[in-house]
Amino acid sequence: MSTDDTKTMIRLEGVSKTYPGTTVPAVSDLDLEIPEGEILVLVGPSGCGKSTTLRLINRMIEPSSGRIIFDGEDVTSVDADKLRRRIGYVIQQIGLFPHLTIKANIATVPKLLGWSNDRIESRVDELLDLVGMDPGQYRDRFPKELSGGQAQRVGVARALAADPPVMLMDEPFGAIDPITRDRLQNEFLRVQEELKKTIVFVTHDIDEAIKMGDRIAVLGEQSRIAQFDTPERILAFPVDDFVSDFIGSGATLKGLNLERVRDIKLDDFPRVASGSPRREVQAAMETTPDGWAMVVDEGERPLRWVHRSDLERTDKPLVEVGQPIDTIEQNATLRDALELMLHSSTACATVVDKDQAYVGVIRMTTLNERIEEMQHDARVHYDELSRQVSA
Ligand code: ADP
Ligand code: MG
C-alpha cells in the first residue's frame, strides 16, 4: 500500500478499537497511510467503522491497540487536546453550537489558542469569503438562521479556522439536497486546490468518493481495507466482488465524475445583451441551428435562454421571456455538465468563470465524443492488464 512519490502524513499501524461493553471490534488491525496534501476518501457501507477510524486518528477515542504516527512522531499517547489543534474536524451532523453566532462558532479553536480579537475577526471574515458567504451578512447570525448548505459551509470554515495541516471530514455533505451537495463539493475542491491540506474524507457514497478522492480506501466490515487505489483504478479494476458490487453499474457514468469541465473543448454560443433591440436578437438566433439565443447582462453573465418562438409570442423585455440559465464553473465535473444538459432546453451546459461571466458552452456531441474516448482508453487499459496477467 505504498503511495509512490507522496509523503505519508499520518500512518496507522495495526490500530484496533473495541468499544467498552462490546466483543466485536469496530475497527480491526488497520494499517493505513494517509498521503500529505491529498484527499484520501474512506468509503464503505454504513456501520463498517468509518467514523470510528476518524475518531481514532484525532484521538477523540483511544485505540485498544496499535500506533498512530503523525508527521513522523508517535502520537499514540501525546496530549490529545494538543493533537486536535493540528487537526480540523467536520463532524457528521454539522454540529454548530446553536447558541453561538457564526463568528463565535468559527472562532472556537483560535480562541482556545489565545489569538487576539483582531486576528480572530479578520480570520473569520477571510474564511466566510473563502466558503462563499458574505461576512457582513452572516457573521452575526445564529445557526438556525442558515440553510443546510450554509451551515455545512460554516462547518468547513470552522474546521479550517486555525489553519490545521490535516482535516478530518465525516460525511460533511451528507445531509443536504443533491444540487447543493454538488455545489459544495465543487467549491470545496476549488478551496483544496489552493490549500492542499491533508484530508481524510468519509462517505458511504461511491460517487462522492470518486469525485472527491485523490485516493480511495474501500472499506469492509471492521474497517478492513478491500482496495486502496486511485479512483480511476478502482473503477477500471475492482479487486474483488465486494468492491465491484459496491461500485455498482454504470462505470462510464461514474467515470464522468473524474473529468473536469476545464479539460474538455468548449464551444461558443451567440450572446445578446439584455437591452438589445429585437432585430439584433433575431439576427443572432438565425446563426444557431435551433433558434436559441443566450441573453447576458453587462458583465457577460448569462441570464436567460430565449427562443425565436418566445419573441413571436410577446413583446415583453428579453429578461422576462424564455428560461433562466443554469451554469457551472470550470472545476465542475463532466457528470455535473451532463446533469445540466439533461435539464436545459438547449441541451448544452453553460460554463462561467469565478465572477459568473460567460466562458463557453459544452454541447452534447462534444460530451459524447469524450465518453467514447474514455471507453476506448478503458478497453486498451483492460487488454494490457489481461495480457500481463496471462503472460
Ligand atoms: P460508520 O461510520 O462506518 O457508519 P461507525 O464507526 O460509526 O461506522 O460504527 C462502527 C461499529 O461500531 C458499528 O457496529 C457501531 O454500532 C459500533 N459503534 C460505534 N460507536 C459506538 C459506541 N460508542 N459504542 C459501542 N459501539 C459503537
Ligand atoms: Mg459514520
Side-chain angles (χ1 to χ4, degrees), residues 45-52 54-55 92 170-171 202 204:
S46 179
C48 75
K50 304 180 295 295
S51 295
T52 302
L54 276 197
R55 293 194 204 110
Q92 203 159 352
D170 195 348
E171 313 222 12
V202 160
H204 63 270

Side-chain angles (χ1 to χ4, degrees), residues 1 10-16 27-34 66-67 217 219 222-225 228:
M1 201 181 56
I10 300 174
R11 195 165 70 240
L12 307 192
E13 290 179 0
V15 169
S16 299
V27 169
S28 173
D29 197 22
L30 174 65
D31 293 318
L32 183 68
E33 294 192 359
I34 300 165
R67 297 202 311 158
L219 302 181
Q222 303 176 356
S223 272
R224 289 210 175 83
I225 298 177
F228 183 97

Side-chain angles (χ1 to χ4, degrees), residues 22 27 31 77 117 163 179 211 226 232 243 323-324 332 388 391:
T22 65
V27 169
D31 293 318
S77 50
N117 274 339
D163 202 19
I179 293 175
K211 177 169 179 180
E232 290 83 353
V243 177
Q323 291 141 31
Q388 284 169 17

Side-chain angles (χ1 to χ4, degrees), residues 10 49 63 99 202 216 227 259 269 306 320 356:
I10 300 174
H99 58 290
V202 160
I216 297 176
Q227 187 164 3
E259 307 257 327
F269 205 97
V306 177
E320 288 174 31
Q356 304 302 306

Side-chain angles (χ1 to χ4, degrees), residues 111-155:
K111 267 215 170 115
L112 282 176
L113 295 174
W115 290 18
S116 73
N117 274 339
D118 283 355
R119 186 169 170 212
I120 288 179
E121 296 213 344
S122 67
R123 181 64 177 156
V124 167
D125 286 2
E126 181 189 13
L127 285 162
L128 282 172
D129 266 333
L130 185 75
V131 297
M133 291 172 71
D134 175 19
Q137 202 183 337
Y138 291 105
R139 188 193 298 122
D140 298 316
R141 290 202 191 176
F142 287 89
K144 67 171 189 300
E145 298 166 310
L146 302 181
S147 72
Q150 289 167 340
Q152 294 282 10
R153 288 190 176 93
V154 173

